[in-house]
Amino acid sequence: MRILLVGAGGVGTAFARIAARRPFAELIVADYDLARAQHAAAAKDSYTAVQLDARDEAATAALLAEHSCDVLMNATDPRFVMPLYRAALRAGTGYLDMAMSLSRPDPDKPYSETGVKLGDEQFELAGQWEERGQLALVGIGVEPGLSDIFARHAADTLFSEIDEAGVRDGANLVVAGYDFAPTFSIWTTIEECLNPPVIWERDRGWFTTEPFSEPEVFSFPAGIGPVECVNVEHEEVLLIPRWVKARRVTFKYGLGAEFIGVLRTLHKLGLDRVEPVRAGGVSVSPRDVVAACLPDPATLGDRMSGLTCAGLWVTGTGTDGAPREVYLHHVVDNAWSMAEYGSQAVVWQTAVNPVVALELIDSGAWSGTGVLGPEALPAQPFLDLLTDYGSPWECQERTPAGA
């Protein structure tokens, strides 16, 4: 399989390093910064590095054709989803991403009604992908991605009826030497944390709440322990209800009081804005300035310690008719990911899942046409292969409320 990997940041580089150990994949690594592309492509002698502006659809389509690529793997931030998505459609190839097209809040009722939802722009083109027999597998990172696959697994094998499918993400990661150093893209973190969170309920459909709403303390496994989690806008809530029956779908992230305070301050000061402002005779996006002032998450691995946990908490009725509650989860220790791959835990955990998915597509274990989320495809082949990559998942049984 010939893969055009667009984006050679932390996740893209981790993707290249993971794929280099699997025989199915050959990569052309593209980035706006050729040096970054060359750094990621160094994972394997046969990889090729090229310069590419991800906003240029025609150039991307031409690159796909020039290198006879089978698929475009999007490892950029969500701003570039649509031009890359359209380029793959135009070139007749497959497409994967780990974050979907951006949302726009309802202008009048942002904290109750949805506006343009995450992925809406992509799903508007689903008919064209189906007609052309092409597959766009969207949201196939860890969250979204593995969490959606856990939802499919729960529906198929663990539950006869799902009450709530709630993604819960937490960590105990520490970055030495920094007062504030996010372990993932601050650009994306601002986007998903300050937008109105989306919740789905069977009797109501999709609706929004205020940022950081419904705080709860969730106990994470592997010694991470209790972490306060809050509602955050995320793709799973927009994807899971399309293919998995559940009464309620939520996403809550363990941010911590300090992180929430920083995000709220950025918002109050207007530093979360994407639209450029004039400063010193130049136009600059405040959010890009914030990102430039903070350390690159990909470079923090040797200063980080601890674990990150992504998972899906599911409640409902088990296959035996009794109440059941489980937490399906995947834990990565930063010490392990750095020693094995030279990539910090958060970016490695994100990157491994699209590599697994592409290997399943290459083998024929996964197939389809149109625009699909991970939960539209069988879960077991993915979960088995993820374990084969040396990174097993677990299912933790919990005591149902009231039991």
Side-chain angles (χ1 to χ4, degrees):
M1 174 181 278
R2 293 183 63 78
I3 302 164
L4 175 62
L5 171 66
V6 183
V11 175
T13 299
F15 179 100
R17 291 170 179 171
I18 297 165
R21 300 191 185 185
R22 310 299 292 191
F24 80 95
E26 196 59 46
L27 301 190
I28 296 86
V29 184
D31 196 277
Y32 73 94
D33 182 338
L34 180 58
R36 290 210 317 174
Q38 291 169 334
H39 175 71
K44 192 173 183 179
D45 290 342
S46 59
Y47 287 176
T48 301
V50 296
Q51 193 278 332
L52 176 69
D53 183 342
R55 298 168 296 184
D56 191 332
E57 292 179 33
T60 303
L63 195 60
L64 286 163
E66 177 187 348
H67 291 275
S68 302
C69 294
D70 302 294
V71 63
L72 188 157
M73 178 66 234
N74 179 359
T76 65
D77 74 50
R79 289 175 290 180
F80 306 107
V81 162
M82 288 311 295
L84 293 174
Y85 178 79
R86 288 191 293 258
L89 178 62
R90 175 176 176 176
T93 69
Y95 169 89
L96 282 79
D97 63 33
M98 295 170 278
M100 298 177 67
S101 60
L102 293 171
S103 64
R104 292 190 295 277
D106 183 276
D108 301 317
K109 299 179 179 179
Y111 303 134
S112 59
E113 305 292 333
T114 60
V116 176
K117 302 186 297 301
L118 292 170
D120 275 357
E121 291 183 77
Q122 290 174 279
F123 281 111
E124 285 178 4
L125 299 179
Q128 294 185 38
W129 287 86
E130 292 174 8
E131 291 167 7
R132 299 181 188 187
Q134 295 170 240
L135 172 62
L137 181 56
V138 296
I140 183 61
V142 62
E143 290 174 343
L146 181 56
S147 50
D148 302 73
I149 291 162
F150 284 151
R152 175 81 278 150
H153 177 69
D156 288 347
T157 66
L158 304 179
F159 289 82
S160 59
E161 184 175 350
I162 293 175
D163 181 25
E164 180 166 351
V167 182
R168 298 293 185 267
D169 180 304
N172 62 2
L173 294 167
V174 175
V175 182
Y178 290 95
D179 291 331
F180 183 75
T183 58
F184 200 70
S185 163
I186 189 61
W187 201 101
T188 303
T189 302
I190 290 172
E191 180 71 21
E192 61 190 25
C193 291
L194 292 179
N195 277 348
V198 181
I199 294 171
W200 186 87
E201 292 182 356
R202 181 183 296 161
D203 298 331
R204 186 174 175 181
W206 286 294
F207 62 95
T208 58
T209 69
E210 294 188 5
F212 315 120
S213 60
E214 299 182 0
E216 68 174 53
V217 175
F218 189 84
S219 183
F220 289 90
I224 296 173
V227 179
E228 185 176 76
C229 298
V230 293
N231 280 321
V232 167
E233 180 190 50
H234 232 254
E235 287 90 343
E236 292 94 325
V237 180
L238 287 310
L239 287 173
I240 289 173
R242 296 175 187 268
W243 289 282
V244 175
K245 292 182 179 179
R247 189 190 65 81
R248 194 169 194 259
V249 181
T250 57
F251 181 99
K252 291 190 178 183
Y253 194 9
L255 293 171
E258 181 185 21
F259 206 141
I260 290 173
V262 170
L263 292 172
R264 282 180 166 153
T265 299
L266 291 174
H267 180 63
K268 286 179 181 179
L269 297 176
L271 294 174
D272 61 327
R273 290 173 53 189
V274 176
E275 300 77 14
V277 299
R278 296 290 295 176
V282 298
S283 292
V284 60
S285 162
R287 193 185 299 185
D288 288 346
V289 173
V290 172
C293 290
L294 290 170
D296 179 356
T299 67
L300 297 176
D302 59 352
R303 292 174 173 266
M304 286 171 55
S305 60
L307 303 95
T308 184
C309 178
L312 185 75
W313 169 69
V314 189
T315 65
T317 304
T319 55
D320 61 355
R324 192 174 192 183
E325 178 178 330
V326 303
Y327 182 55
L328 298 149
H329 61 278
H330 182 251
V331 175
V332 177
D333 186 332
N334 187 73
W336 175 85
S337 65
M338 286 297 296
E340 283 289 314
Y341 288 90
S343 294
Q344 54 105 319
V346 177
V347 298
W348 189 92
Q349 189 182 43
T350 303
V352 68
N353 296 286
V355 182
V356 173
L358 284 163
E359 185 163 350
L360 292 173
I361 292 170
D362 182 64
S363 71
W366 270 13
S367 63
T369 59
V371 180
L372 302 180
E375 55 277 279
L377 298 165
Q380 201 60 52
F382 187 100
L383 297 175
D384 290 344
L385 189 55
L386 179 64
T387 300
D388 185 59
Y389 274 56
S391 189
W393 60 282
E394 294 184 41
C395 177
Q396 181 186 69
E397 294 284 346
R398 299 195 172 194
T399 303

